[in-house]
Amino acid sequence: YARAIPLLRRFDDRQTLVSALTNAGSSDSGDWCSRIWVGRAPVVSISTNAETPMLEALDIARAMEWRSGESYALGAAGIRAAQRGHLRAGLQQLHDSLAVATDITHHMWTVQAHFRLGVAHLYLLDSGRALAYLQPAFEITIAMSSRYSETSTRGCMASAHVLLSEFDIAEELLRGQVDVHGSPLLISAKSCWFAAAELRLAQGRPDEALEIIDRLIESIPNSRGNLSADLSRLRGEILLALGKLGDAESELAAALETAIRRGYPHSRWQALAMLRRLYLTRGQQAEATRSGADARVIVDSLAEQLDDEDVRATFLRNADTLLSEAPPAGQRAVEIPAGLTAREIEVLGLVAEGLSDIEVGERLFISPRTVSQHLRSAYGKLDVNNRTAAVRAARELGVV
């Protein structure tokens, strides 16, 4: 795109330029709707417009009176704005995109606008409204035999039903879409895998959820160290349910860092909410309070932009629920054999995997010296004097 766009300007191919600017702008941040996008910042400028390539594309399309291009650019600009927390502008652009697409009877852009509005409400924890947009999109894609759009929509609908605890409906939507012995090929199919991991977690089957999410991650090119915030957050939530607190913290910290770096407040506050739950599980009340307060600030700032009172009330009610949840009884801090601390258990667990002090420190975001101190403390409590004996004793106690 960086090479093509100057040529398109030079030859005044405005229709292709509109598409190129819109697509190039989306490739910067990735399409939020996929929730698994691994995006990288562009290395060169692709637009002379001071704001975004999509807005320049929109100006050109309107000047040409090309309504299809206008709807396309509006949809891309709207989802990007909503993704970055500019909800008032973003939702308005998405509704405008839908209105134009409907007016000109452009089925594909109608699907896209419905789909994006559905995903935006999914991020606002409003499953009812999300499904009100996703269902029409789904019906049109089936009539059009558009496999790509159908599977994308199917996955997001399943996620909405999981939020509503309608597991049977989610299961039916995902039937035949996820083969845990294989891997997803199309990016649209990956949304079904994401929803399947959410479903298994909600059903209390975190082992299966972890297998699904790990196969999904393996299928994404160049994902190592560059996962989407949503993928890292969901994997962290699954690990938390499995009681693997050290790994869970690493994933949730990565989700938070990615959300901050990319400027995605929705993903940021949800990562903070999961960190709050993790800290409560450990009994780290101060850290839990701080994470919850940081998440609350973001939630309130987003809610202020929601002019529809019902949408705002639903978002705040469901966010309040998420931010007031205590960990399940089985995840609360319990008495650990030999007087070991939760952190010492985590260190021993990673040592049992064969990791060095440096590698353990990287996983837990602590220094190798601190790792060594935890190990020495554990040695004394277990009455051993080396790593191998400590791991053996920990296994005999059933703590690793």
Side-chain angles (χ1 to χ4, degrees):
Y1 286 121
R3 295 170 63 190
I5 286 171
L7 293 173
L8 295 170
R9 296 188 198 282
R10 176 181 172 188
F11 293 110
D12 196 29
D13 185 347
R14 291 182 292 166
Q15 192 170 82
T16 310
L17 178 60
V18 168
S19 297
L21 285 167
T22 303
N23 293 340
S26 296
S27 71
D28 171 15
S29 58
D31 191 333
W32 190 28
C33 299
S34 74
R35 294 188 293 175
I36 58 156
W37 183 275
V38 179
R40 304 176 190 275
V43 295
V44 293
S45 175
I46 54 178
S47 172
T48 58
N49 186 283
E51 295 184 64
T52 68
M54 282 88 88
L55 293 183
E56 182 181 354
L58 180 59
D59 289 341
I60 296 171
R62 284 173 169 166
M64 297 169 60
E65 298 185 354
W66 183 34
R67 303 203 73 201
S68 173
E70 178 184 3
S71 177
Y72 186 52
L74 275 167
I79 200 64
R80 177 181 171 121
Q83 177 186 38
R84 295 180 179 272
H86 307 303
L87 288 176
R88 183 173 286 110
L91 290 172
Q92 184 60 58
Q93 287 171 322
L94 290 173
H95 281 289
D96 290 346
S97 174
L98 177 59
V100 174
T102 302
D103 188 48
I104 63 175
T105 322
H106 194 304
H107 297 304
M108 195 66 251
W109 290 176
T110 300
V111 166
Q112 190 175 80
H114 274 296
F115 177 67
R116 285 172 162 166
L117 279 163
V119 172
H121 283 87
L122 196 56
Y123 272 90
L124 292 172
L125 308 181
D126 191 342
S127 293
R129 285 180 179 79
L131 288 167
Y133 289 111
L134 292 169
Q135 186 65 44
F138 188 59
E139 293 169 359
I140 296 171
T141 59
I142 291 176
M144 294 172 60
S145 299
S146 173
R147 175 67 175 161
Y148 182 93
S149 297
E150 179 200 329
T151 50
S152 294
T153 309
R154 185 185 292 273
C156 290
M157 289 176 68
S159 292
H161 284 294
V162 170
L163 280 176
L164 291 169
S165 297
E166 296 173 344
F167 300 151
D168 290 346
I169 300 176
E171 196 87 60
E172 183 60 32
L173 282 164
L174 296 173
R175 194 178 306 282
Q177 305 297 318
V178 178
D179 176 11
V180 295
H181 301 296
S183 61
L185 299 177
L186 296 177
I187 196 169
S188 58
K190 298 177 198 291
S191 72
C192 291
W193 282 64
F194 189 96
E198 292 179 314
L199 174 61
R200 293 293 176 261
L201 177 62
Q203 290 173 322
R205 296 151 70 181
D207 287 315
E208 295 177 33
L210 184 62
E211 181 180 0
I212 292 169
I213 204 75
D214 282 347
R215 284 190 174 274
L216 171 56
I217 290 169
E218 289 171 4
S219 75
I220 303 172
N222 305 314
S223 63
R224 186 174 179 81
N226 195 34
L227 289 181
S228 75
D230 289 331
L231 261 178
S232 291
R233 189 261 309 157
L234 178 56
R235 190 169 190 274
E237 189 175 352
I238 293 168
L239 290 167
L240 178 57
L242 289 167
K244 299 182 178 181
L245 303 189
D247 288 343
E249 184 176 21
S250 296
E251 287 288 359
L252 294 172
L256 181 58
E257 189 278 330
T258 300
I260 293 171
R261 173 166 48 86
R262 303 294 292 177
Y264 299 164
H266 303 270
S267 300
R268 183 176 178 179
W269 84 259
Q270 290 188 24
L272 285 165
M274 287 301 105
L275 280 168
R276 172 188 171 275
R277 187 184 300 177
L278 182 146
Y279 292 137
L280 286 175
T281 302
R282 282 184 173 159
Q284 296 174 271
Q285 188 61 51
E287 290 85 347
T289 299
R290 183 166 58 251
S291 294
D294 290 345
R296 173 66 60 190
V297 170
I298 299 171
V299 166
D300 288 345
S301 69
L302 293 171
E304 287 177 0
Q305 300 180 59
L306 298 171
D307 296 324
D308 186 311
E309 292 185 6
D310 290 338
V311 172
R312 183 170 63 251
T314 300
F315 173 55
L316 286 173
R317 181 175 63 254
N318 291 329
D320 285 344
T321 298
L322 191 60
L323 286 171
S324 61
E325 282 183 350
Q331 289 185 2
R332 294 183 187 274
V334 296
E335 184 178 350
I336 300 175
L340 294 167
T341 67
R343 181 62 99 182
E344 288 164 356
I345 293 291
E346 291 167 5
V347 170
L348 286 169
L350 294 175
V351 169
E353 295 178 17
L355 275 63
S356 68
D357 286 4
I358 293 175
E359 292 169 328
V360 172
E362 289 174 348
R363 292 279 286 274
L364 299 181
F365 297 94
I366 57 179
S367 71
R369 180 179 178 182
T370 301
V371 173
S372 180
Q373 290 172 344
H374 285 306
L375 282 174
R376 285 198 300 271
S377 176
Y379 293 167
K381 295 174 181 179
L382 296 170
D383 195 23
V384 298
N385 57 15
N386 60 64
R387 300 164 75 91
T388 302
V391 168
R392 185 185 306 116
R395 282 175 172 157
E396 290 174 354
L397 290 171
V399 295
V400 300

